[in-house]
Amino acid sequence: MLRSSLPLWVVPAEDEPPHGLLLRLAERNGIQSQSQLSVLTGLSVRELRNGAGIERLAAVAHCDPAHLMNSAPIVSDGGLAIRGERFSARHAVRQSARRLCPECVVESSHHRFWFDLEFVTTCPAHGRKLIQTCSCGQPLSWTDVRISKCCRCDNGDVTNIPWIQARPDILEMDRWILSRLRVGGVSSVPLLDSMNVGTALHVIQNVGLLDLGGYQTAWPEPRDFGVSVAEVRSRGFRILRLEQLNEVVDRVYVEFVATNSGRAATIKNAYGWFGEWLLDLQFQEASARIYETIVVRATRRKRSQPSFRSGWGLGHST
């Protein structure tokens, strides 16, 4: 059993990841730097953020490793898993900035695992945007050893940062995402609930891009429209939550007809880049309802319109 040289222990808090617990151990024991923390524990925030060293941390903190694993990010095969949901590691976790909700810190001064998730930008409990700067104006980082301040100032306190109200549409999306990770209340969107969260985020973003850009052959990016990724995703989420995907694809189809006079329509070409992506999506069982929505809509068009049956599975265009 690893013996800890830290005289004071802390009990893991709700939604607290291992690297957050290590920071709280440092604060409880008056440790002033990450290097000192590593010497005393043999652990680092960096390795714990990748899911390594959890058994050693449990020994240092005198707690059950299973309790720590519940909120730990586990990185493997280029992906990230948290609470049974899998994401792209490259897009899911912020590698440099440390973020938090000041109101959460007021209630309990501990880090929450979902502060680190790139696709969550608001606090579902307090309705405000997550912040990533200290009250002194310097960015929070993983070299800090205090939850509520950066390592560059003496008297910083994130709880003094003015409130920035979250956009309701982004907040609603974040609440659904976090409910899937067992944070907050239960929120349901039938069209998305059968997908894993990583796939659902991909679908949500592409539906938002389709609505923003309409018919396009080149794959668009949020910056093409001067908006954030969160705004694009919230747009797609609202469409799927309100079951308005039919209206969006009908509008895009009309734009295709207007710009491609005389060209026979297929699933692949009638929706531009979205159609290309859609043909790949059909082979993912959890996402089949999105594909089926488009296909069913296509087959209900007037008889005078071109048939969509060519190119369903093989993606042929005429």
Side-chain angles (χ1 to χ4, degrees):
M1 174 69 72
L2 177 67
R3 290 185 178 274
S4 170
S5 58
L6 302 182
L8 302 177
W9 308 340
V10 293
V11 177
E14 184 177 11
D15 298 333
E16 185 174 33
H19 53 280
L21 182 67
L22 185 64
L23 290 181
R24 201 151 56 91
L25 273 169
E27 187 163 5
R28 180 85 194 280
N29 286 275
I31 296 172
Q32 300 299 315
S33 68
Q34 287 284 346
S35 58
Q36 184 185 9
L37 180 62
S38 295
V39 168
L40 292 172
T41 65
L43 295 162
S44 70
V45 168
R46 182 187 180 94
E47 66 177 326
L48 288 169
R49 290 184 72 210
N50 290 322
I54 293 175
E55 293 279 350
R56 283 183 288 149
L57 176 62
V60 169
H62 298 265
C63 67
D64 184 352
H67 195 129
L68 297 178
M69 289 293 294
N70 182 54
S71 299
I74 307 300
V75 178
S76 63
D77 301 325
L80 177 82
I82 299 178
R83 295 189 173 180
E85 296 287 353
R86 191 169 179 82
F87 316 97
S88 162
R90 184 170 66 88
H91 294 116
V93 175
R94 289 182 172 253
Q95 298 300 320
S96 57
R98 183 167 68 88
R99 299 185 307 168
L100 51 79
C101 166
E103 305 306 314
C104 286
V105 172
V106 168
E107 292 178 0
S108 177
S109 187
H110 72 273
H111 194 73
R112 280 73 165 169
F113 76 89
W114 51 270
F115 290 166
D116 299 342
L117 300 177
E118 176 274 335
F119 46 81
V120 175
T121 61
T122 67
C123 173
H126 300 109
R128 67 177 293 174
K129 293 180 67 174
L130 300 183
I131 60 100
Q132 58 186 31
T133 58
C134 179
S135 59
C136 73
Q138 294 294 323
L140 299 172
S141 74
W142 293 109
T143 59
D144 304 331
V145 287
R146 300 289 182 272
I147 298 296
S148 61
K149 65 180 287 295
C150 74
C151 61
R152 298 175 179 84
C153 66
D154 294 327
N155 301 310
D157 190 339
V158 295
T159 62
N160 293 329
I161 293 178
W163 182 291
I164 302 177
Q165 179 68 43
R167 281 180 42 160
D169 54 338
I170 296 176
L171 185 60
E172 185 172 30
M173 176 185 64
D174 284 352
R175 283 177 172 150
W176 174 80
I177 293 169
L178 289 176
S179 77
R180 292 287 302 271
L181 296 170
R182 304 193 298 280
V183 177
V186 177
S187 178
S188 178
V189 179
L191 196 58
L192 298 172
D193 289 345
S194 62
M195 305 178 194
N196 66 62
V197 175
T199 299
L201 285 166
H202 191 48
V203 170
I204 288 167
Q205 182 166 332
N206 284 350
V207 170
L209 287 171
L210 181 69
D211 185 50
L212 272 170
Y215 178 78
Q216 293 189 39
T217 56
W219 198 298
E221 296 287 343
R223 61 176 176 268
D224 297 337
F225 309 106
V227 297
S228 68
V229 174
E231 290 174 290
V232 171
R233 287 176 177 159
S234 67
R235 193 182 190 103
F237 179 77
R238 183 177 185 277
I239 289 166
L240 295 169
R241 180 179 62 82
L242 298 178
E243 299 184 355
Q244 295 176 340
L245 183 58
N246 287 343
E247 288 84 345
V248 175
V249 297
D250 281 354
R251 173 167 53 81
V252 173
Y253 176 77
V254 169
E255 293 174 8
F256 161 77
V257 171
T259 57
N260 293 270
S261 178
R263 188 180 183 191
T266 69
I267 292 294
K268 180 177 181 179
N269 67 23
Y271 302 106
W273 66 270
F274 190 81
E276 298 261 2
W277 170 74
L278 194 63
L279 287 172
D280 291 332
L281 191 69
Q282 67 174 311
F283 300 111
Q284 301 178 29
E285 183 177 354
S287 309
R289 287 189 62 188
I290 297 290
Y291 178 77
E292 290 168 2
T293 295
I294 306 293
V295 172
V296 168
R297 195 66 174 173
T299 58
R300 289 178 178 172
R301 298 188 186 282
K302 295 179 181 179
R303 292 178 180 271
S304 60
Q305 294 177 339
S307 171
F308 274 68
R309 291 192 175 275
S310 66
W312 276 15
L314 298 178
H316 297 309
S317 56
T318 57

